[in-house]
Amino acid sequence: MWAEQFNAPFAWLAVIFSPYCRPFMSSVEHIENPDVILIGSGVMSATLGGVLKNLQPDLKIQLYEVTPELAQESSNGWNNAGTGHAGICELSYTPNRGADGEVNVAKAIEIFDQFEQSKYFWGYAVRSGMIKDPSRFVNAVPHIAFVYGQEQVDFLRSRHKGMSAHHFFSSMEYTEDRDTIREWAPLLLAGRDDTPIAATKMDRGTDVNFGALSNLLVQWLGEQDGCGYATEHRVTDLTRTEKGWGVKVKNLQSGRTFTNSAKFVFIGAGGGSLPLLQKSGITESKGFGGFPIGGQWLRCDKPEVVEQHVAKVYGLSPGAAPTMAVPHLDTRIIDGKKSLLFGPYAAWTTKFLHGGGSFWDLPGSIRLDNIASLIKVGLHNIPLVGYLIQQGLQSMNTRMRELRNFYPDARTEDWELIDAGIRVQAVKKEDGDAGIVHFGTEVLSDKDKTLAALLGASPGASVSTNIILEIVQDCFGDLLKTEAGHERMKAMIPSYDENLIDPQNANRQAALSEEAEKSLQLI
């Protein structure tokens, strides 16, 4: 029973009074020996749980989360920019001009296609009743790329030329006209000098609260037959069994430790994934390490400032900055309230988790199979390490100078410094060259397809549906081979097994995108 499982003699009181004073968040039922155990309550586990339960309704699923509330790490609304990364404004997805003088836009097209899958799934979640009110997690916010200086202007002009030629970005506007940019985003022009500037804009961008999205999906999952979730439960070990995995779990409230078994385990614990992956002992995890990068934001809640700026405005990354440290001035909408964020400012850290992490996380992750990779990262990325340390030591005046590149009239007293999430970049051996830091998302699964894990960072949350689809195809492929399974997947992700990048499918893509945006109340 539920009370026995959690070793809480008065657990029935928590059930009755849970809406008012809940000692820990949990669904009423704890699932013993489920088909699937999800570790972590962020957007990846939440999406996988939602997709699998819709794909096979009789599947039994149990989720464990270590923190008192759901989705408090990387998915938390204040721990990320909330940009629905669609390649529209993120200049890091379009590298510098090649030998032909033009910008390669292939990566931006790929990211847009992947974000569309997320949008389609979210639209399905609303239409099917998984999510009642989409405004709790997603809102329409224009996406703008902004540059200054003639070299950057030439770059952006070429980028727009390449992107607007594709049907994904055919509505993208480009301008070097100051009055137009002032109309788009007034703060960018207030007090600006006569340095050449340029901007691109698409109105159909989004601001996403991935923490709220995760909460909604996990709570829906907990209401389904054969499914449950519990916070303040730490997974401490993984042991392979004949039928799958034995998952050792500690109830942080009672101190009791127990083992639950599952045929399949998903490690979606953000910065906590690497230690658990190492404990699993799977061959595929050998050689992997983690390189944590902390972050901070400048935040403004002054209504007279906030109301002047309704956009996600991205610039070019400075020098040795990692891709997730590209500067941007963002509208954020969290719990119905608008704020502005600028940053992120990267920082050196050895913690893997924002809350509950330890400075021993990085040293404790070092193994004989990954030490060479980690050492090489340090030796070959000295400029990056120096950049992280320098960022962490910056004064408020220095941070404000960077903000004023975007918003020249910004006043220090209007902004406060807040912490952002920690991103643990995957470090692995590749093509015989150890020590590559991967700025992206890495998916691992064992040869028996009984365990999958996720490592990495941006644009992970935005393309979560695409990543989860990869896991489902790899580890649950048999479900997709049946007629019923294929139909269910097409209902969730209508573009499944279609190529919407192909210009011949432009009308199909436009129709699916419009359907999703109407469901999400974006148009």
Side-chain angles (χ1 to χ4, degrees):
M1 297 295 293
W2 187 89
E4 295 171 342
Q5 179 64 46
F6 289 106
N7 195 28
F10 301 102
W12 59 275
L13 289 172
V15 176
I16 294 175
F17 294 107
S18 61
Y20 311 102
C21 53
R22 183 178 288 178
F24 59 85
M25 294 181 65
S26 175
S27 51
V28 174
E29 187 176 5
H30 176 270
I31 309 303
E32 297 186 28
N33 304 322
D35 300 299
V36 175
I37 286 179
L38 306 173
I39 304 174
S41 63
V43 69
M44 296 299 177
S45 292
T47 302
L48 180 58
V51 169
L52 286 178
K53 190 61 177 174
N54 277 281
L55 190 60
Q56 184 176 335
D58 63 350
L59 210 60
K60 296 180 179 180
I61 302 172
Q62 175 65 37
L63 181 148
Y64 295 113
E65 168 57 52
V66 68
T67 59
E69 298 180 9
L70 299 171
Q72 291 303 296
E73 282 293 331
S74 295
S75 295
N76 178 273
W78 293 114
N79 286 348
N80 59 74
T83 304
H85 285 286
I88 298 170
C89 59
E90 306 91 338
L91 300 179
S92 57
Y93 297 144
T94 46
N96 291 331
R97 284 174 286 177
D100 62 355
E102 300 297 343
V103 172
N104 184 344
V105 300
K107 186 66 175 179
I109 292 172
E110 176 189 346
I111 295 296
F112 186 97
D113 185 50
Q114 293 175 356
F115 178 70
E116 285 288 284
Q117 291 182 328
S118 292
K119 201 168 64 176
Y120 300 159
F121 175 65
W122 301 340
Y124 166 83
V126 173
R127 293 192 300 274
S128 65
M130 296 171 69
I131 293 174
K132 300 296 190 294
D133 180 7
S135 68
R136 292 181 60 184
F137 78 92
V138 64
N139 289 275
V141 173
H143 284 194
I144 294 174
F146 175 71
V147 297
Y148 46 88
Q150 192 58 52
E151 184 177 352
Q152 292 189 13
V153 169
D154 293 342
F155 164 82
L156 190 63
R157 187 186 303 115
S158 174
R159 181 181 188 270
H160 173 259
K161 176 184 175 183
M163 293 182 71
S164 61
H166 193 276
H167 59 278
F168 284 171
F169 306 105
S170 60
S171 65
M172 180 181 285
E173 300 176 69
Y174 172 85
T175 187
E176 298 174 26
D177 180 71
R178 287 172 178 259
D179 289 338
T180 302
I181 298 174
R182 183 179 291 107
E183 182 181 336
W184 291 352
L187 299 186
L188 300 181
L189 270 293
R192 183 166 297 280
D193 62 21
D194 59 359
T195 301
I197 59 174
T200 60
K201 174 174 173 279
M202 283 183 68
D203 289 324
R204 293 173 80 169
T206 54
D207 174 74
V208 186
N209 184 337
F210 291 105
L213 171 63
S214 303
N215 264 275
L216 292 167
L217 291 175
V218 171
Q219 289 175 28
W220 171 86
L221 185 66
E223 295 168 356
Q224 307 310 302
D225 290 340
C227 297
Y229 67 87
T231 62
E232 294 192 88
H233 281 68
R234 182 187 296 276
V235 174
T236 60
D237 205 1
L238 296 167
T239 305
R240 192 185 290 275
T241 66
E242 289 185 4
K243 296 183 179 180
W245 292 90
V247 180
K248 190 174 182 180
V249 184
K250 183 176 182 179
N251 181 329
L252 299 183
Q253 282 213 335
S254 68
R256 177 176 178 264
T257 297
F258 61 93
T259 297
N260 205 355
S261 299
K263 300 172 186 176
F264 178 84
V265 172
F266 174 66
I267 306 175
S273 291
L274 179 61
L276 288 173
L277 183 62
Q278 291 175 327
K279 287 182 178 182
S280 75
I282 64 172
T283 302
E284 292 77 8
S285 72
K286 302 303 180 184
F288 270 89
F291 187 88
I293 297 176
Q296 294 178 308
W297 301 105
L298 287 177
R299 172 179 166 181
C300 176
D301 293 318
K302 289 280 185 77
E304 60 268 30
V305 178
V306 173
E307 293 305 318
Q308 292 185 67
H309 186 86
V310 183
K312 302 276 189 181
V313 180
Y314 274 60
L316 282 167
S317 176
T323 53
M324 86 282 290
V326 172
H328 40 97
L329 180 62
D330 289 352
T331 293
R332 289 297 277 121
I333 304 171
I334 297 180
D335 298 329
K337 181 183 177 182
K338 286 184 181 180
S339 298
L340 295 186
L341 287 185
F342 179 78
Y345 298 96
W348 167 257
T349 184
T350 57
K351 289 184 176 183
F352 281 0
L353 292 170
H354 178 67
S358 166
F359 289 111
W360 292 102
D361 287 343
L362 176 58
S365 72
I366 297 174
R367 303 284 190 274
L368 288 176
D369 59 72
N370 67 14
I371 190 170
S373 299
L374 290 168
I375 290 174
K376 196 165 185 181
V377 164
L379 293 176
H380 285 199
N381 291 275
I382 290 176
L384 172 60
V385 174
Y387 169 82
L388 297 176
I389 294 173
Q390 173 267 328
Q391 284 269 295
L393 296 175
Q394 283 187 119
S395 66
M396 186 64 171
N397 285 337
T398 302
R399 298 177 195 277
M400 289 300 298
R401 280 200 298 271
E402 187 171 348
L403 168 59
R404 290 184 183 113
N405 288 328
F406 279 72
Y407 172 22
D409 276 356
R411 301 187 307 171
T412 303
E413 59 268 29
D414 293 341
W415 298 79
E416 64 173 324
L417 188 66
I418 64 171
D419 288 331
I422 292 174
R423 305 293 186 261
V424 180
Q425 304 305 312
V427 179
K428 71 174 185 178
K429 297 177 181 178
E430 185 175 274
D431 299 328
D433 184 16
I436 300 172
V437 180
H438 286 261
F439 298 112
T441 304
E442 200 73 44
V443 180
L444 281 81
S445 59
D446 69 323
K447 60 181 176 62
D448 298 325
K449 310 304 180 187
T450 59
L451 181 145
L454 205 68
L455 302 172
S458 182
S462 295
V463 299
S464 53
T465 300
N466 178 267
I467 292 168
I468 294 311
L469 180 57
E470 179 182 339
I471 292 171
V472 172
Q473 290 174 316
D474 189 34
C475 301
F476 295 86
D478 289 345
L479 296 180
L480 298 173
K481 294 177 182 177
T482 67
E483 183 176 348
H486 184 267
E487 288 180 359
R488 287 173 180 148
M489 182 58 77
K490 288 288 286 185
M492 286 186 280
I493 309 171
S495 62
Y496 173 66
D497 68 15
E498 296 182 42
N499 178 11
L500 299 188
I501 293 177
D502 189 331
Q504 293 185 357
N505 293 326
N507 291 337
R508 168 70 170 164
Q509 183 272 327
L512 291 180
S513 188
E514 182 176 2
E515 178 187 38
E517 289 176 7
K518 285 182 178 178
S519 298
L520 296 171
Q521 300 173 16
L522 298 175
I523 55 175

